[in-house]
Amino acid sequence: MLRRRRVPQTTTLQERLAQFTRTIREKAEALPDGKERDELMKRLRSADTASNLDRQFAGRD
């Protein structure tokens, strides 16, 4: 049976999502219009949605 590796998080989910969105936004802005940029923008929207949901569930509107 495989055991799950436990890695203690040193930053909050909100902080990790914010860092991820900054990184993806910088990469997307550096790319010309096209499929790769569209894929990054899709990931960015998903991360923004996750961040908003986390804030709502945590009561940090």
Side-chain angles (χ1 to χ4, degrees), residues 8-22:
Q9 298 295 332
T10 57
T11 58
T12 66
L13 175 60
Q14 194 66 33
E15 291 169 336
R16 293 190 311 270
L17 285 170
Q19 179 60 41
F20 178 74
T21 57
R22 278 191 299 273

Side-chain angles (χ1 to χ4, degrees), residues 8-46:
Q9 298 295 332
T10 57
T11 58
T12 66
L13 175 60
Q14 194 66 33
E15 291 169 336
R16 293 190 311 270
L17 285 170
Q19 179 60 41
F20 178 74
T21 57
R22 278 191 299 273
T23 302
I24 294 297
R25 183 171 283 120
E26 289 171 2
K27 288 180 182 180
E29 289 174 352
L31 292 173
D33 289 340
K35 185 176 180 178
E36 189 175 356
R37 182 178 179 155
D38 291 343
E39 290 295 321
L40 285 176
M41 294 306 288
K42 184 189 285 187
R43 290 179 69 191
L44 181 60
R45 284 189 298 274
S46 293

